[in-house]
Amino acid sequence: MSCTPAQTLQRLHEQHLYRSRLTLDDATGVEAVIDGRRYLTFCSNDYLGLANHPALIRALQTAADSYGVGSGASHLVTGHKTPHHALEEELAAFTGRPRALLFSTGYMANIGAISALAGRGDTVFEDRLNHASLIDAGQLSGAAVKRYQHADMESLQRQLAGQPGETRLIASDGVFSMDGDIVPLPELARIARQHKAWLMIDDAHGLGVLGATGGGICEHDGVSAADVPVLVGTLGKAFGTFGAFVAGSEELIELLIQKARTYIYTTALPPAIAAATRASLKLVQTETWRRDHLRTLITRFRGGAQQLGLPIGDSITPIQPLIIGDSATALRAAELLRHHGILITAIRPPTVPDGTARLRITLSAAHSEDQIDRLLEQLNKAWLAVRSNGVDALHERTGS
Ligand SMILES: *Cc1c(COP(=O)(O)O)cnc(C)c1O
């Protein structure tokens, strides 16, 4: 018998997996106001602090004066405007690829690209910890989906060897969104070449952040455009705006225009957003101090966390997870931090594997070193509190 909605909701509550939204008022930069109280936030993806930049706001306003708010139609009808086209050309140049194609979201870019490249009779190989949009894309494509062990190139090789088949597409996050670690790209590219498989990298968290000019994981690892024929980027993270793109060869982009249903059957994103993203792209490339400052903050945070004995993951990116384990304890830790004016949401299954609920701490170039110190102090207090509570609860249960 199937569950009623009320039963399903009740079960989510019992498992500490119920999700609820916070309503933020006056969220500028790294501060947020909720119910009149001010918080320091460490959970947005605005890694370079560009979402509130005056140049982006001005570009958005100016473009809205000329192009209005809505694009009015899909790209293939009359929605494709001059700012979209200019942004696509600039994104192609930025990523060192012949062409780029804008999508309304990263979720749609992944579904559109995978479904256009693979279908029934083909195989898509995915890292176990890939973003949900890549996993969903594989499933929706109709291809067989093989999930290999996280960042485990031997596991991938074994699966490739067992699946000769038609088209084979390997899809992976560049920077893993919940752990912050980086895919072993040079080796992955070598394996893809050896097995004549397509390689698609979703660099949602690397573009803008990694590499000398913000070129992402490819620039960071010195991997050529030819080695990553399908590159996906999202614009709602380090770029501070909204939307996404796929970059690649002339033929790839033409194929997506013909075949990607999430490109064809949806309204083009507002042209003023594209104009704001053009302003952002300039800052991403020229204001290298943002990446330098971010790196300083990451080093400071990791050094401090190690000194305090906090169990943070192995990540050089702004994503610095503190793995707690069970969902109830992760929620409790987030609650304690919030009580002390620090906002970090607890990330729970199914977003992360069972037993790995965590505080997904993210750093931004908009943070100061003092704010990192404040974060460390409060994290340490929260960690000690939930850890000792956990031990107390265990003692109560065992009667010791
Ligand atoms: C955020 C994210 C997406 C989705 O991008 P949206 O533009 O927010 O839909 C896709 N892939 C990865 C790895 C992401 O982190």
Side-chain angles (χ1 to χ4, degrees), residues 123-127 144-148 159 163:
T123 310
V124 178
F125 299 85
E126 302 223 23
D127 189 292
V145 179
K146 295 269 164 199
R147 293 174 76 171
Y148 55 90
Q159 294 191 348
Q163 294 279 322

Side-chain angles (χ1 to χ4, degrees), residues 105-108 110 131 133 173 175 177 202 204-205 234 236-237 243-244:
T105 70
Y107 197 112
M108 292 166 74
N110 283 335
H131 188 262
S133 58
D173 283 22
V175 173
S177 56
D202 173 353
H205 301 276
T234 66
K237 286 158 187 162

Side-chain angles (χ1 to χ4, degrees), residues 261-317:
R261 294 167 66 87
T262 54
Y263 180 76
I264 300 167
Y265 299 108
T266 199
T267 303
L269 61 86
I273 293 287
T277 309
R278 294 183 67 197
S280 169
L281 182 56
K282 274 204 197 83
L283 296 176
V284 163
Q285 292 172 276
T286 55
E287 295 197 342
T288 50
W289 67 263
R290 290 178 187 276
R291 275 181 292 280
D292 295 341
H293 179 58
L294 187 53
R295 213 169 303 122
T296 305
L297 297 181
I298 293 167
T299 306
R300 190 178 186 91
F301 175 77
R302 293 191 63 77
Q306 270 149 13
Q307 248 172 23
L308 293 167
L310 298 172
I312 49 167
D314 190 12
S315 157
I316 60 156
T317 69

Side-chain angles (χ1 to χ4, degrees), residues 82-122:
T82 315
H84 296 124
H85 204 75
L87 175 59
E88 286 182 344
E89 288 177 347
E90 289 163 5
L91 286 169
F94 172 61
T95 57
R97 275 132 175 105
R99 282 185 74 183
L101 188 72
L102 281 176
F103 281 76
S104 292
T105 70
Y107 197 112
M108 292 166 74
N110 283 335
I111 290 175
I114 292 190
S115 302
L117 292 169
R120 220 171 286 283
D122 302 328

